[in-house]
Amino acid sequence: MKLTTAGESHGKVLVGIIEGLPSNLYIDIEEIDYYLALRQSGYGRGGRQKIERDRVEILSGVRNGRTLGSPLAFGIKNYDYENWKQFMAPEGCDETKRMLTKVRPGHADLTGMLKYDTDDARNILERASARETAARVVAGTIARQFLRALGVEIGGYVKGICGIADPAVYPFERLSEAKNEPLFMLDKQLQSKAERLIDNLKSDGDTAGGLIEIRVAGLKSGFGSCMQYSTKLDSVLCGAVMSVQAIKGVEIGLGFGCADLPGSKVHDEIYYDGAYRRKTNNAGGIEGGMSNGEEIVLRAAMKPIPTLMRGLETVDYATGERSRAAGERSDVAAVCAAETVLESVVSTALAEVVSARLGGDNMSEIIERYGKLK
Ligand code: EPS
């Protein structure tokens, strides 16, 4: 399962093509739209989300609710294009009016301008924008539906906002409750504190990042490989997570905590009760680059949004003069959006790993092969 995305943030449409889907996978479009709406939600989002109403349109690869085994193409309309077409149209638009030269620290603006040889950061930011992640949610929800057919579920929640962190450990069954919360947090007191912090940051023209936990339940052991570095499950999943805009750190299981403890406190002791189990799950469900049958636990750090309304110090690319960075509108926090996106990219990456091991051209074949695994 391979996804290619295209589309600019204020262009006409975001598109995606998924290759390598088996036939006869039931596609629940309502569920795709549910996750698209979740990605738009969350306390601290900016004005853009009041304009967009993300819905998927499937263009190929599905007939009467089931995949054909052919490439699946889809689109998501950008409603804001109506306000931008005179500056963004493929032909005959005015490039001068929405030029951005007061480059934003932390955004792709400056490095992209130098690399792609343009004096307008608009040509860079339109594609670097996290708007692209809507397409990844579509593919991720299709991957989630594929994995669900095998009994594998993906969940997650927000563990922290700008230093307000929830140290609790929750059972997988409770994670879905987070989706009804304004910041996808499970501790209501900490969440209220985080909401107040977002309010304060907003009045200061500042922004917040946060900490996200993603979990995978029900995956059998042996997915990924210890035989070649590029096929290690932890490397594949961490790569997928790091490909999401604004993610700056990722850990699996105990993660960075492993560095501070002796082996006796880190490695999960093994027992047998009809199946091989671990007493603890510091490995986060992955040993030797392979799933070990325990839950996969992954945490990611999202940096604060780089568009600050108060504008950080920068240089105006047009004049070479010291300046305040551009900021017209911005999210104060988009950690809930990132949480939805991370569940999606983990689903897509995992579906690819599962397909690589099981092969198969249709869902019956795949379900049968998965069922035979220990
Ligand atoms: C983004 C800037 C904002 C965000 C956008 C990501 O868009 P705008 O410049 O139109 O206000 O809202 O995210 C989305 C549009 C989205 O759907 O997630 C950026 O610069 O990365």
Side-chain angles (χ1 to χ4, degrees), residues 219-287:
L219 181 68
K220 291 188 178 182
S221 71
F223 287 92
S225 165
C226 59
M227 297 300 175
Q228 189 62 268
Y229 66 91
S230 56
T231 56
K232 286 175 187 274
L233 183 60
D234 32 11
S235 134
V236 172
L237 295 185
C238 289
V241 166
M242 288 299 288
S243 79
V244 174
Q245 289 83 337
I247 300 300
K248 295 300 272 186
V250 54
E251 64 178 10
I252 292 198
L254 190 54
F256 283 86
C258 291
D260 301 331
L261 294 169
S264 56
K265 297 255 173 359
V266 169
H267 298 296
D268 308 305
E269 292 187 314
I270 300 171
Y271 66 99
Y272 186 80
D273 68 354
Y276 289 105
R277 301 293 316 272
R278 310 293 189 279
K279 289 187 188 165
T280 49
N281 190 18
N282 290 333
I286 302 178
E287 286 172 302

Side-chain angles (χ1 to χ4, degrees), residues 10 39 45 48-49 104 107 129-131 329 331:
H10 303 96
R39 195 202 69 90
R45 303 274 349 232
R48 176 74 185 272
Q49 299 313 319
R104 295 161 297 172
H107 217 293
S129 162
R131 175 97 189 118
R329 67 178 176 202
D331 299 314

Side-chain angles (χ1 to χ4, degrees), residues 1-3 18-23 25 139 142-150 152 219 222-224 231 233 236-237 346-363 365-367 369-370 373:
M1 217 187 133
K2 275 250 173 300
L3 168 71
I18 308 170
E19 283 183 88
L21 279 173
S23 67
L25 172 66
I142 291 170
R144 182 192 294 273
Q145 292 167 5
F146 169 84
L147 292 167
R148 187 180 294 139
L150 306 176
V152 180
L219 181 68
F223 287 92
T231 56
L233 183 60
V236 172
L237 295 185
V346 165
S347 299
T348 306
L350 191 55
E352 209 170 315
V353 171
V354 168
S355 306
R357 181 177 186 199
L358 298 178
D361 298 306
N362 63 71
M363 281 310 286
E365 204 164 61
I366 292 169
I367 291 168
R369 289 178 189 181
Y370 188 74
L373 297 177

Side-chain angles (χ1 to χ4, degrees), residues 9-10 14 39-40 45-49 51-52 54 78 80 84 104 107 109 122 125-126 128-134 245 305-307 328-331 334 337:
S9 177
H10 303 96
L14 297 167
R39 195 202 69 90
Q40 290 197 264
R45 303 274 349 232
R48 176 74 185 272
Q49 299 313 319
I51 300 170
E52 301 301 340
D54 293 345
N78 285 327
D80 210 12
W84 281 81
R104 295 161 297 172
H107 217 293
D109 301 348
R122 170 100 11 235
L125 71 93
E126 285 290 338
S129 162
R131 175 97 189 118
E132 181 260 353
T133 59
Q245 289 83 337
I305 301 286
T307 310
E328 278 164 18
R329 67 178 176 202
S330 175
D331 299 314

